[in-house]
Amino acid sequence: MEPSLVTGLYGEVSGLPAPVSAQVSEEQLPEVRTFTVTAEWSQSDLVRGSRLRYSQQWTLIADSNHNKSIRTVLPPRPCALVAGELVSAISPIRGQRAVVRETSGHQLLEIWNHHGLRKCLNLTALKKHGKVYEDVQFGCLSWSECEKKLLYVAEKNKNTHDGESACRKDRSVYCEDWGEALNNKSVPVIFVLNLQNGSVSELQGVPPDVSPGQALWAPGSQSVVFVGWYHEPFRLGLRFCSNRRSAIFKLDLDGNCECVSGSDLSVSCPRLSPDGSTIVYLQGRVFGPHNQCLSLQQLDLRSRKSSTLLEVVNRPLTGEFAGVYEALPPCCWSADSQRVVFSSARRNWKDLYMVDRQSHKVTSLSDSLPDLSKVFGSWKLLTVQKDLMVVCCSSPNTPPTLRVGFLPSAGEAVTWQTLQQPVMTFDLHWTVLDVTPPPEEDNTQYSGLDFGAVLVKPTRRLHETKIPLVVFIHGGPHSQFPAEWNSTTAGLAQLGFAVLMVNYRGSTGFGQDSILSLIGNIGTQDVKDVQRAVLTALQSDITLDPKRLAVIGGSHGGFLACHLVGQYPEFYRACAARNPVINAATLLGTSDIVDWRYSSVGLQYSYDQIPTAEALAAMLEKSPITHAAQIKAPVLLMLGGKDRRVSPHQGLELYKALKSRASPVRLLWFPEDGHSLSRVDTQADCFLNTVLWLHQHL
C-alpha cells in the first residue's frame, strides 16, 4: 500500500485504451472485397494528466460474393495521435474528412482527402458565431449529398444586433446555460458552411423557444432535420437526462419549420436510413425519472407519419430483451434499411441487439453462450456500416477489446473476429448475482421485482485470510453497473479487495417498472436493496470477510453510501463518497435538475413550483443527513468545486456534522472539477486516497 505503488497500479489499469468511435469504408476488387476499419481510441496518461486520442486502421479482406465472411485481417497500421479534434465527419461519396479542430485558442474547420489538407477555414476569425458545439447533446457535423455544404451547431454570438451602448448596458445580464458539463452552452444555432465560396450562414426559421442540436441533412439536402429542446420558461440540466421536453423538427433552407414528432415528449438520436426513406429516433416521457426505458420510433419522411418500432419494456422476461436505455450510435442501420442495430442494458449485462422493421422481432447478436459462460459481460456497438459491425467488448477482468462481425442472415449467428486484444487481462474472478427482496421489502405498487449485482475478487487470496469487501454503488440512480471493464474495480481487486457492484431496483436494464418503483422510495428501498445484496454475497461466498466491509459511491451512489453507514452503523467500517447528495432539501435551490429533486421523493414537478414545508420535509426525511448522528464509520468525502448537479456544499454539510461530533472525516476539494470528477489527475488522486482510507480502516 505504498502510495507510489498504488498510483503506479492505477496508472496501469486506467491507462488501458478504450475504443470510442469507428468508421468503415469498402472497396470492391476483382476477386475480393476489402474493408478498412478506422477506430478512434481514448487513453488516460497520468504523466500529462490528460486523455489522449489516437486512431488506428485495419484492412479486412472478405470474399467478393455476398456470404459476408472475413478471410484475412492484415496487421494494423501504426497508431496516430489525434490532436485537438472536436468533431469530424466523412463525406458520403469521395470519403473526404471534415474536422473542427481547436488550436491556439482558434477553431479551424479542415477538409482532408487523399492528397492531404485541401481546405482550412478559421471559424473564430470569421466571427459569425461563438464556439462550435462538440458535446453529445447538441454537437453534430453533417455533409450534404453533393459534398458542397457542411452543417454544424455553434453558440450564437452575443449582442449581434445591439449597438455599443446596449452592449455596455447588458454586459452583466445573467445568461442561462444547459447545466452540468454544458457550461457556457446557452443559445445553440445551426450554421451551414458553403465549401465552394467559404461563406458561413445561420439557418433561419428555428422556433424562438427551441434550442437546436443533433442536426442532419434530409435527403436532397434542401432541408435539415434536428432535435429541438424547449427552453422556456427556463433551461434545466440536460446531461444524463432523457426526460427533457423536445421534438424532431424539419427546417427547409427558406426558413419554413415544422414539428414532425409528437408533442410533450422527449426525443433524441435521429438516424437517417441508407435509402433516405426513414428516420429512427428515441422517445420517452417528460419529467419523472431523469433516465428511463425509451421507445424506438420510425418516421416515414414521405408521409411524415411516426410509428413505434420498439415499445417501452415494463417487465422483461428472464433472459429476454429488456428495453432501450442509451443513445443510438451515429450509424445504426443495415445496408438494406430494414434493420436497426443498437446496444442496451439487460439486467447486469450490456448486450447487442438487432430489430427487424417488418416483424419487429429483436435478436441478440452477442455471443450465443448462456450468461454464466460469457467471456464478455458488455457489448457496445461503435458503428455498423456496409453491414459490418464494430463493437467494443469487455468484462471485469478483460479490458476493452475491439471486435468485428457481419450482420447475420435470418437464423444464423454472427462470426465475430477480434481486431485488437487488450494489452493485458487480469487474474480476477467475477460472477453475477441475482437478488430477490424478501416479502417485507417488496414494493406493493410494483411487486415481484428483483435486482442484481456483479462480484469481482482476486483469484488468489493472500495468506488464506478472508477477503475484505468493498460495496461499490452506482450513481444516477437510473444507471447501471454492467459486467464490463471498470478501472476502479479492477484496481481495488488487484490490491486484494473484493468489490460488489450493486444494481438496486431503479437501475436500468430491469424494465420501466423497476425504474418507476424507486420514485418516492429513495433512502429506503435502494438502501435496503444494497444491504440485501451484501448479505446475499456474504451468504453465497465464504471467502468474503463480514467483519471488514466498506462502502463507496458517487452522486446517488454517495447518497446511498452515507445512508448505509448511518442506517447500519455497526455493519460498515469505512465509507468513501464522491459528490454525494446529503440533504435533498438544501439541494433544491442549487441543482441544475430541480425537477428531479421533486420527482425522486414522489412529488409532481412543474416549472412554477414554489417549495412548501411539506415538500421540504419529505426531501429532508429521505436524506442521509438525518442519520448523521449515528455514523461511526470514518468517512472520506471528495467534492468538485464546479459541480452544478450536486453542490459541493452538500458534502460540506456532512463534513461539519461529523466534525462537530469528533467523527473521523477527511475531505478532498477539487476546485476545477465538476460532478463526474473526471479530470485525469483528480481520478488518480481519488483512487489513491480511497485505497489508503480503506486500507487504514479495514
Side-chain angles (χ1 to χ4, degrees):
M1 291 295 170
E2 178 64 39
S4 60
L5 296 176
V6 173
T7 301
L9 170 76
Y10 183 71
E12 197 173 89
V13 293
S14 69
L16 292 164
V20 290
S21 65
Q23 288 278 348
V24 176
S25 60
E26 179 188 16
E27 202 174 341
Q28 180 71 59
L29 301 172
E31 296 294 318
V32 293
R33 289 185 301 157
T34 66
F35 292 85
T36 302
V37 175
T38 307
E40 196 167 294
W41 300 70
S42 175
Q43 184 172 18
S44 293
D45 178 24
L46 291 190
V47 176
R48 285 181 174 85
S50 64
R51 282 178 190 83
L52 306 177
R53 282 176 97 95
Y54 66 87
S55 70
Q56 198 169 15
Q57 274 192 350
W58 286 261
T59 300
L60 281 51
I61 298 173
D63 293 328
S64 67
N65 58 17
H66 291 285
N67 67 0
K68 294 182 182 172
S69 62
I70 299 166
R71 255 200 236 167
T72 315
V73 177
L74 299 181
R77 287 165 218 170
C79 303
L81 186 66
V82 175
E85 286 192 7
L86 301 177
V87 278
S88 64
I90 306 288
S91 70
I93 302 160
R94 289 182 289 164
Q96 302 184 92
R97 190 163 185 266
V99 178
V100 177
R101 191 186 307 276
E102 183 111 29
T103 176
S104 308
H106 284 246
Q107 290 191 332
L108 309 177
L109 194 142
E110 306 164 347
I111 307 295
W112 296 81
N113 68 8
H114 300 302
H115 301 288
L117 181 65
R118 303 305 293 161
K119 191 180 275 284
C120 182
L121 283 168
N122 187 332
L123 296 176
T124 307
L126 289 175
K127 295 185 176 175
K128 292 281 187 178
H129 50 68
K131 295 259 185 179
V132 174
Y133 282 40
E134 81 304 341
D135 57 275
V136 295
Q137 271 75 27
F138 295 99
C140 56
L141 188 59
S142 177
W143 284 90
S144 63
E145 284 176 9
C146 60
E147 301 195 353
K148 292 173 183 172
K149 292 176 182 172
L150 279 165
L151 189 67
Y152 61 92
V153 170
E155 181 67 18
K156 189 177 180 70
N157 265 345
K158 298 204 173 24
N159 305 315
T160 323
H161 308 296
D162 300 340
E164 178 60 35
S165 58
C167 281
R168 198 164 172 76
K169 172 174 73 76
D170 293 340
R171 66 183 175 185
S172 299
V173 169
Y174 174 66
C175 187
E176 286 176 27
D177 63 21
W178 285 96
E180 175 66 29
L182 293 168
N183 301 347
N184 306 319
K185 292 190 171 152
S186 178
V187 187
V189 174
I190 302 173
F191 287 90
V192 175
L193 167 63
N194 185 319
L195 290 169
Q196 289 178 300
N197 60 21
S199 66
V200 172
S201 54
E202 177 184 336
L203 267 193
Q204 302 296 328
V206 174
D209 61 339
V210 156
S211 287
Q214 300 183 19
L216 60 146
W217 292 101
S221 304
Q222 295 307 301
S223 59
V224 165
V225 174
F226 66 89
V227 176
W229 285 270
Y230 293 95
H231 55 235
E232 294 296 344
F234 54 83
R235 290 161 178 77
L236 287 164
L238 198 52
R239 189 156 162 77
F240 304 128
C241 295
S242 63
N243 65 341
R244 297 286 170 247
R245 186 172 169 241
S246 44
I248 305 280
F249 292 88
K250 193 169 186 212
L251 171 67
D252 68 27
L253 300 184
D254 296 325
N256 303 306
C257 190
E258 62 173 317
C259 176
V260 290
S261 65
S263 61
D264 209 27
L265 294 163
S266 170
V267 302
S268 63
C269 302
R271 304 289 186 256
L272 180 65
S273 61
D275 66 5
S277 70
T278 308
I279 283 177
V280 290
Y281 61 93
L282 299 176
Q283 180 176 290
R285 302 181 195 176
V286 177
F287 296 148
H290 61 84
N291 199 13
Q292 55 189 313
C293 187
L294 302 165
S295 69
L296 182 64
Q297 301 289 318
Q298 49 185 353
L299 169 67
D300 185 307
L301 287 172
R302 291 184 190 88
S303 69
R304 308 284 168 89
K305 285 194 164 59
S306 278
S307 59
T308 302
L309 184 51
L310 282 176
E311 298 275 7
V312 167
V313 176
N314 293 315
R315 292 268 176 132
L317 299 169
T318 308
E320 295 293 307
F321 171 63
V324 184
Y325 299 92
E326 51 201 72
L328 300 173
C331 298
C332 61
W333 283 93
S334 62
D336 64 4
S337 300
Q338 290 307 305
R339 293 164 291 170
V340 178
V341 191
F342 58 94
S343 308
S344 194
R346 178 181 65 81
R347 296 186 65 82
N348 304 291
W349 314 84
K350 190 191 296 273
D351 259 341
L352 181 64
Y353 295 103
M354 171 177 76
V355 59
D356 184 282
R357 287 181 59 206
Q358 302 304 316
S359 64
H360 293 218
K361 181 171 183 269
V362 179
T363 309
S364 173
L365 298 177
S366 45
D367 277 344
S368 51
L369 298 165
D371 282 351
L372 296 176
S373 313
K374 286 184 188 296
V375 178
F376 298 111
S378 169
W379 293 69
K380 186 168 178 62
L381 180 67
L382 300 176
T383 192
V384 55
Q385 289 163 277
K386 325 284 184 191
D387 282 347
L388 184 68
M389 297 176 284
V390 186
V391 297
C392 170
C393 295
S394 73
S395 65
N397 61 354
T398 309
T401 306
L402 193 68
R403 308 189 88 200
V404 293
F406 282 105
L407 277 178
S409 303
E412 291 182 359
V414 183
T415 305
W416 290 103
Q417 285 209 248
T418 298
L419 291 189
Q420 184 77 308
Q421 293 276 14
V423 183
M424 58 181 86
T425 55
F426 290 80
D427 194 13
L428 304 174
H429 176 77
W430 63 278
T431 184
V432 166
L433 304 176
D434 294 314
V435 187
T436 302
E440 66 273 14
E441 290 172 16
D442 197 26
N443 184 307
T444 50
Q445 192 181 353
Y446 297 97
S447 80
L449 295 170
D450 69 345
F451 59 99
V454 181
L455 177 64
V456 185
K457 59 180 194 171
T459 305
R460 288 190 296 277
R461 283 187 279 160
L462 299 171
H463 321 300
E464 291 306 304
T465 53
K466 290 201 167 191
I467 308 169
L469 177 64
V470 178
V471 182
F472 192 2
I473 315 172
H474 66 69
H478 308 302
S479 66
Q480 179 214 23
F481 266 146
E484 69 182 4
W485 175 253
N486 181 305
S487 54
T488 298
T489 299
L492 288 169
Q494 285 289 96
L495 290 166
F497 298 98
V499 183
L500 183 70
M501 302 189 288
V502 184
N503 291 312
Y504 45 89
R505 280 173 290 175
S507 302
T508 53
F510 293 81
Q512 184 72 352
D513 281 2
S514 180
I515 286 172
L516 294 174
S517 77
L518 188 53
I519 301 298
N521 294 309
I522 63 162
T524 49
Q525 177 179 292
D526 43 5
V527 175
K528 287 174 180 166
D529 281 359
V530 175
Q531 188 68 5
R532 181 63 48 197
V534 177
L535 294 173
T536 303
L538 292 173
Q539 283 165 3
S540 66
D541 191 329
I542 57 164
T543 68
L544 303 176
D545 190 343
K547 293 188 171 63
R548 290 192 294 163
L549 299 168
V551 59
I552 66 173
S555 190
H556 193 85
F559 165 90
L560 291 177
C562 295
H563 257 302
L564 284 156
V565 290
Q567 292 190 39
Y568 304 93
E570 305 298 334
F571 196 79
Y572 295 96
R573 298 260 300 271
C575 169
R578 291 170 292 110
N579 288 326
V581 174
I582 296 300
N583 182 343
T586 55
L587 181 58
L588 185 61
T590 60
S591 175
D592 67 332
I593 55 168
V594 60
D595 61 307
W596 173 240
R597 306 299 151 216
Y598 284 95
S599 301
S600 64
V601 298
L603 299 172
Q604 286 290 317
Y605 173 75
S606 62
Y607 281 101
D608 58 0
Q609 204 106 346
I610 304 290
T612 62
E614 293 76 22
L616 293 171
M619 293 173 196
L620 178 62
E621 183 202 347
K622 294 178 183 297
S623 298
I625 195 71
T626 57
H627 304 284
Q630 284 75 55
I631 293 175
K632 293 181 179 177
V635 175
L636 171 67
L637 295 164
M638 295 158 276
L639 309 178
K642 292 187 172 174
D643 189 345
R644 303 274 302 279
R645 186 131 303 174
V646 178
S647 162
H649 292 280
Q650 288 286 301
L652 283 167
E653 208 172 316
L654 181 63
Y655 173 77
K656 289 170 184 171
L658 295 174
K659 285 277 280 188
S660 67
R661 288 166 174 76
S663 288
V665 61
R666 173 174 163 86
L667 190 148
L668 304 180
W669 184 270
F670 300 99
E672 296 305 311
D673 228 316
H675 188 57
S676 299
L677 293 177
S678 56
R679 288 164 62 113
V680 170
D681 50 349
T682 301
Q683 290 187 335
D685 220 352
C686 288
F687 182 82
L688 172 65
N689 275 278
T690 299
V691 165
L692 296 179
W693 191 254
L694 298 177
H695 181 62
Q696 179 186 344
H697 298 293
L698 293 185

